[in-house]
Amino acid sequence: VTMLLPILAHATVVPEERPWLNSSLAIPERVQLLMARMTLQEKAQQLWHSTLSVDAADPNTAAQIKAGGFGAITIEAMDVPNGTSCDASCRISNLRRLQLAFLNGTRLGIPVSFVIETSHCGAAGGTIFPMGVTQGASWNTSLAHSVGAAIAMEARAWGGDRGLSPEINVCTDPRFGRIEENFGEDPAHVS
C-alpha cells in the first residue's frame, strides 16, 4: 500500500475506466481496484528501475512507455535530447513531459518515480557533502541529520521523489564495493 500512495497522489482526472484515481475513495479501496486491473507483466514492470532517456520521444523510452511503463527512472542517468546541456528548469520541464507520457501513454496511468543518488548530494550543481563514512567518523548525529535534510530538499527541488542514501549497515568486509556509503565498521555508527 505504501508504495502505491505516490501513484495515487498524482491523480487529477478520473476517467470511468480508472476508478483508482478517484481521491474520494479510501486508499485501501483504490489500491485494491488498481491491483485487480494490473496484469502480472504490469506488476513486474513496476518493480523495474530504469535509466532510459528523459526524452519521451526517444524511441527506447517511447517503446517502454507503450509497453506499460516501469516503476522508476534514475534522474542522473537521463540524458537530454541531442546531447545538449540542461539546467534545473529545463530538467524539471523534461521530467514533467516524461511523467505526462507515463500518465497518458500507459493503460493504467501509473506515474514513474524519479530516483536520485543521494549519498552525498541531492542534485547536479547542488551542495556536495562528505560521504557517509566521513559523516560517521564525526560521531555527530545532529550534523548527519542536517546533511540528510539538506540533501533531501535539493533532491526534491531537482524533481526526485526517492533517494538512494547512505547504507545503514555495519561494514565489516572491505571488499564491499560501496564501503564509502556506510557510516563505519562500528555498530555505534548506525545505532
Side-chain angles (χ1 to χ4, degrees):
V1 171
T2 309
M3 291 184 67
L4 291 173
L5 290 178
I7 293 169
L8 300 174
H10 282 71
T12 53
V13 178
V14 184
E16 286 184 31
E17 67 273 6
R18 295 180 176 177
W20 54 88
L21 298 179
N22 183 349
S23 61
S24 67
L25 298 176
I27 295 290
E29 184 179 355
R30 295 171 71 190
V31 170
Q32 186 177 17
L33 287 166
L34 176 60
M35 295 298 288
R37 297 269 179 103
M38 292 178 81
T39 66
L40 181 59
Q41 179 180 348
E42 288 166 332
K43 290 173 184 174
Q45 284 173 300
Q46 287 304 305
L47 300 174
W48 185 25
H49 181 146
S50 180
T51 56
L52 290 176
S53 170
V54 68
D55 185 5
D58 176 277
N60 291 331
T61 303
Q64 186 56 45
I65 293 169
K66 187 175 181 180
F70 46 83
I73 187 165
T74 301
I75 293 177
E76 294 93 348
M78 296 189 310
D79 57 344
V80 293
N82 304 318
T84 59
S85 63
C86 191
D87 64 10
S89 64
C90 166
R91 182 61 57 105
I92 296 299
S93 177
N94 287 339
L95 294 178
R96 178 164 172 67
R97 276 195 302 278
L98 183 61
Q99 190 67 273
L100 288 172
F102 275 89
L103 292 171
N104 300 321
T106 60
R107 184 176 78 87
L108 300 172
I110 299 174
V112 67
S113 176
F114 295 117
V115 180
I116 294 180
E117 285 276 358
T118 56
S119 292
H120 62 93
C121 64
T127 309
I128 304 294
F129 294 99
M131 293 297 286
V133 71
T134 309
Q135 293 176 40
S138 76
W139 291 85
N140 188 336
T141 56
S142 296
L143 179 60
H145 182 271
S146 296
V147 166
I151 289 171
M153 185 176 64
E154 287 184 358
R156 191 66 187 129
W158 193 244
D161 57 37
R162 195 169 4 153
L164 305 177
S165 296
E167 307 263 340
I168 307 241
N169 191 6
V170 177
C171 186
T172 56
D173 188 345
R175 295 175 294 174
F176 177 60
R178 299 180 81 130
I179 197 168
E180 75 281 357
E181 293 181 5
N182 290 276
F183 287 107
E185 62 183 357
D186 189 312
H189 281 124
V190 294
S191 64

